[in-house]
């Protein structure tokens, strides 16, 4: 799978761990940065990853900051992005199965790397259920995006 990943300084160390995990599993990883743990601004990397997913350069995205919240707020501003902040396997699974989430946001100051890697694994291996009711609800989100900022 083609996966875009980005972080800020707070998520940098976990990003490096997740990249190694993904490569070990045979995924193609596009690292949008940062490339050091120096202070930086999470919107820059959230926008880069969200645009790669929205443009279909990557199938899924992963964003890591201190809480996951800033990344989720920014990524969800991009049409076509359904970003979910997940800190446990259940919400990671549901975000894919019910919401067809395409960007996973994690807070490196919220969970340790063991749980984070489980969350990543579950997010990647879970498929959208495709149930009519979920498609209908997602279509309403897409309609809202198009009404607000046509792509
Ligand atoms: C950085 O201190 C922190 O605010 C950031 O990583 C993130 O948690 C924002 O949502």
């Amino acid at each position: 799978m083609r996966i875009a990943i980005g972080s800020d300084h707070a998520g940098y160390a976990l990003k490096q761990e997740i990249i190694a995990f993904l490569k070990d599993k045979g995924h193609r990883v596009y690292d949008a940065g940062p490339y050091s743990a120096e202070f930086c601004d999470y919107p820059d990397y959230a926008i880069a990853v969200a645009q790669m997913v929205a443009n279909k350069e990557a199938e899924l995205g992963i964003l890591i900051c201190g809480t996951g919240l800033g990344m989720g707020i920014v990524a969800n501003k991009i049409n076509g992005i359904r970003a979910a902040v997940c800190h446990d396997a259940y919400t990671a699974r549901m975000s894919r199965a019910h919401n067809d989430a395409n960007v996973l946001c994690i807070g490196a100051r919220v969970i340790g790397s063991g749980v984070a890697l489980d969350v990543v694994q579950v997010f990647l291996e879970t498929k959208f259920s495709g149930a009519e009711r979920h498609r209908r609800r997602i279509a309403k989100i897409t309609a809202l995006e198009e009404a607000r900022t046509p792509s």
Side-chain angles (χ1 to χ4, degrees), residues 11-33:
Y12 177 77
L14 181 56
K15 173 169 73 73
Q16 300 313 111
E17 275 196 65
I18 293 174
I19 289 171
F21 176 80
L22 294 173
K23 286 187 173 168
D24 190 54
K25 302 265 178 222
H27 295 289
R28 279 172 61 190
V29 181
Y30 302 97
D31 183 1

Side-chain angles (χ1 to χ4, degrees), residues 26-47:
H27 295 289
R28 279 172 61 190
V29 181
Y30 302 97
D31 183 1
Y35 305 112
S36 80
E38 278 183 37
F39 280 99
C40 60
D41 298 334
Y42 61 81
D44 299 336
Y45 303 96
I47 292 166

Side-chain angles (χ1 to χ4, degrees), residues 40-116:
C40 60
D41 298 334
Y42 61 81
D44 299 336
Y45 303 96
I47 292 166
V49 166
Q51 285 180 335
M52 286 187 77
V53 174
N55 296 337
K56 311 230 181 299
E57 293 161 59
E59 288 145 83
L60 294 174
I62 300 174
L63 288 165
I64 310 115
C65 63
T67 59
L69 299 174
M71 291 299 197
I73 290 167
V74 177
N76 277 317
K77 303 272 183 212
I78 307 292
N79 281 9
I81 295 303
R82 291 177 297 282
V85 181
C86 300
H87 291 132
D88 60 79
Y90 179 76
T91 48
R93 186 176 302 111
M94 289 302 109
S95 77
R96 293 283 303 126
H98 286 194
N99 311 110
D100 199 15
N102 48 17
V103 174
L104 169 65
C105 304
I106 298 174
R109 294 173 179 163
V110 181
I111 53 174
S113 67
V115 175

